[in-house]
Amino acid sequence: MAGFEVTPFEDLPEELQELYEDMQDDLYEGLADQVVEGTRRALAMGRSPHEILTYGLVAGMDIVGEDFGAGRLFVPEVLMAAKAMKAAMEVLRPLLTQTGAPRIGTFVIGTVKGDIHDIGKNLVAMMLEGAGFEVVDLGINTDADTFIAAVREHNADLLGMSALLTTTMPYMKVVIDRLKEEGLRDKVKVLVGGAPLSEAFAEEIGADAYCEDAAVAVEVAKKFMALKRAETTPQ
Amino acid sequence: MGEQRTRPSLGTRAEVAIIVCGALAREVLALIRRHGWRVDLYALPAVLHNTPRRIPEVLAERLPQLAQKYRKVIVGYGDCGTGGRLDALLARYPNVRRLSGPHCYEMYGGEAYERQARERPGTFFLTDFLARGFRGLVWRGLGLDRYPELREDFFRHYTDLVWLAQQPDERTRQRAEDAAQRLGLPLTVIPTGYGPLEERLRYLIEDWEPEDVSENKDDTPPP
């Protein structure tokens, strides 16, 4: 991680602090053009893509997530904020790749077979990308073979599955059973989410975590990666 | 919570209460009248479905009083996206039970719903209630009046619009057609009547008997 630590926010020049706070406000209001403009301004001021992502975008989405959880913001507003972040990420993504910005883990994600609902899954994918994960988004209607192949190909640390229907959520167990058969279950943590799911269901199918919303998914994913690092770091 | 109560039963006090989602209230009331059931009916706002986690919260506020007042209480909800939280709440009340089924589409559509969902997973369903209230509950509820650009985010994977019609009439048909136009999806009408909802409600009102917990206060199961 050396070389990618960002300057503490309070140590940044006042003008820059204001710019990032403006970006957070614009993000909260879902103003994509303004967030992209703020991103370009910060880049023109010589700031690193990683810093802009951290203070301009992720910090803004954290406020959005917090207010959503508290019932102050609703799904349409969260989606507008997410679209604004996505627009800014289009600018930052190639630069983050070029600069070799830290990736804290690889996360394969998809909506399970028979299910076409992807609003929540897309939010999770974007929040994870903002948090520094390499995200492999398999889209909707994803079968077990596709999940398994992606976990193997990308050497994934985490697998996320989403379902909105009671008729499709049992397919998550099919995927988990296939992971076991393929000898991959111990290599990847499985996170599940979607409206009809619960902690009890996640436990019943053998998932590692149930994530109530996108913010929880990011926190859980970070926690698993921290545990993994602790396990693999020599004492 | 803007709760509304109607009293289809007149005269002696009813022993049975139904607390029902506003999305089912009109149809449940029609069934009560058709069968002449003596029940008290309470309705909660259908808009709770836009935040399903609120459904058990609101019912948790109402059930203690209702469960005490009535011999049995029927909850007119499915799981409705509560992820089992509603069932966990109801398990605390021996004289309270909900309609079986995951949601109203299945309660009305039964096999026809299951088949459509299985064969055409990109189907967006309407009931009479949702067709009539589409502009408010769905269009405004999803913010599409304020952010029309979100239509693509919400609906890009949908391929069909199916109206599960309880009592199809010309006015509701026009609303369903308007919904289809707004969503850019082809409309299919499947007349379902009240579907399995009627028998499930009849069973709970006429046949189901709550356990008499007063005789088992030490939690010892009966022999």
Side-chain angles (χ1 to χ4, degrees):
Chain A
M1 299 286 280
F4 292 103
E5 297 299 333
V6 292
T7 310
F9 188 77
E10 57 276 14
D11 294 344
L12 292 172
E14 199 172 316
E15 183 194 3
L16 203 56
Q17 288 187 18
E18 278 176 19
L19 173 61
Y20 286 141
E21 283 168 353
D22 284 348
M23 284 176 68
Q24 292 169 17
D25 289 346
D26 290 339
L27 191 83
Y28 191 95
E29 291 179 40
L31 304 171
D33 290 347
Q34 284 85 332
V35 177
V36 169
E37 189 192 322
T39 301
R40 293 214 162 98
R41 272 186 60 202
L43 285 169
M45 290 164 79
R47 310 312 299 184
S48 75
H50 187 50
E51 180 186 284
I52 300 166
L53 174 67
T54 303
Y55 293 137
L57 305 183
V58 174
M61 282 308 283
D62 283 346
I63 301 168
V64 169
E66 198 176 303
D67 280 6
F68 177 65
R72 289 187 290 268
L73 272 188
F74 299 98
V75 169
E77 285 73 30
V78 174
L79 282 178
M80 289 303 291
K83 283 170 84 79
M85 175 159 173
K86 189 175 176 187
M89 282 302 290
E90 297 300 321
V91 178
L92 288 182
R93 191 176 295 113
L95 301 172
L96 287 163
T97 308
Q98 272 173 28
T99 54
R103 303 275 88 185
I104 60 176
T106 300
F107 198 116
V108 167
I109 191 168
T111 300
V112 297
K113 186 179 172 183
D115 205 320
I116 54 106
H117 300 93
D118 64 353
I119 297 279
K121 185 266 297 172
N122 292 345
L123 269 178
V124 171
M126 206 184 45
M127 300 279 278
L128 285 166
E129 188 178 8
F133 283 87
E134 183 74 42
V135 177
V136 181
D137 188 346
L138 303 176
I140 58 168
N141 197 17
T142 309
D143 64 17
D145 286 344
T146 309
F147 277 120
I148 299 292
V151 165
R152 193 168 269 139
E153 182 188 342
H154 300 279
N155 194 23
D157 302 292
L158 303 130
L159 168 64
M161 289 185 281
S162 170
L164 188 76
L165 305 174
T166 49
T167 48
T168 57
M169 61 192 235
Y171 193 78
M172 293 175 172
K173 185 170 187 312
V174 174
V175 178
I176 291 173
D177 289 346
R178 280 289 310 283
L179 284 171
K180 288 178 191 163
E181 287 166 24
E182 301 284 334
L184 293 167
R185 183 64 187 91
D186 294 337
K187 295 186 170 65
V188 65
K189 293 290 183 190
V190 177
L191 285 65
V192 295
L197 276 70
S198 63
E199 292 273 5
F201 174 78
E203 198 174 318
E204 189 185 311
I205 63 170
D208 294 297
Y210 159 69
C211 303
E212 189 169 350
D213 58 36
V216 171
V218 172
E219 283 313 304
V220 169
K222 282 178 173 174
K223 192 183 79 183
F224 279 136
M225 290 313 299
L227 285 171
K228 187 171 184 175
R229 275 197 301 277
E231 282 167 10
T232 53
T233 305
Q235 298 299 307
Chain B
M1 279 308 303
E3 178 187 289
Q4 294 178 334
R5 184 178 147 195
T6 59
R7 269 190 181 270
S9 58
L10 297 172
T12 55
R13 190 184 134 190
E15 292 187 342
V16 178
I18 304 176
I19 183 161
V20 67
C21 170
L24 289 175
R26 181 169 161 153
E27 287 72 18
V28 167
L29 186 57
L31 289 171
I32 290 169
R33 287 180 172 145
R34 174 187 284 183
H35 289 265
W37 289 319
R38 184 178 296 280
V39 297
D40 285 348
L41 181 67
Y42 299 81
L44 294 175
V47 74
L48 284 174
H49 279 285
N50 285 353
T51 48
R53 301 285 150 93
R54 289 276 296 137
I55 294 171
E57 288 173 16
V58 172
L59 280 165
E61 291 166 11
R62 299 294 299 125
L63 285 178
Q65 189 197 7
L66 292 174
Q68 193 169 37
K69 184 174 174 187
Y70 292 92
R71 189 171 65 81
K72 58 183 181 181
V73 178
I74 295 159
V75 173
Y77 280 87
D79 177 71
C80 294
T82 66
R85 288 169 186 80
L86 179 56
D87 287 338
L89 169 71
L90 303 192
R92 296 184 214 158
Y93 299 92
N95 65 333
V96 178
R97 191 178 278 191
R98 75 165 169 86
L99 291 164
S100 61
H103 38 61
C104 57
Y105 308 126
E106 188 275 338
M107 290 181 201
Y108 287 134
E111 275 295 309
Y113 162 78
E114 302 279 5
R115 190 168 51 251
Q116 178 74 24
R118 188 171 57 247
E119 292 174 2
R120 302 284 294 172
T123 300
F124 190 85
F125 290 94
L126 296 176
T127 61
D128 287 6
F129 174 84
L130 271 179
R132 286 192 297 265
F134 182 84
R135 274 180 273 182
L137 204 62
V138 179
W139 201 254
R140 281 200 293 277
L142 294 178
L144 294 170
D145 55 332
R146 310 188 294 286
Y147 313 113
E149 62 269 47
L150 287 180
R151 191 184 82 159
E152 185 65 7
D153 296 77
F154 282 116
F155 292 104
R156 72 174 148 231
H157 299 305
Y158 283 98
T159 54
D160 302 83
L161 180 69
V162 167
W163 171 26
L164 302 169
Q166 286 72 62
Q167 299 290 315
D169 57 29
E170 193 46 41
R171 188 159 167 263
T172 315
R173 175 182 292 277
Q174 281 171 11
R175 295 295 183 90
E177 283 168 357
D178 173 62
Q181 196 175 11
R182 283 168 186 261
L183 297 176
L185 295 173
L187 174 68
T188 303
V189 184
I190 301 180
T192 64
Y194 299 118
L197 171 71
E198 182 164 10
E199 172 52 23
R200 292 175 194 178
L201 193 58
R202 189 211 61 74
Y203 166 76
L204 289 174
I205 292 174
E206 296 181 4
D207 294 347
W208 169 57
E209 283 303 321
E211 289 174 38
D212 187 351
V213 287
S214 63
E215 290 177 7
N216 287 292
K217 281 184 179 165
D218 62 355
D219 287 331
T220 308

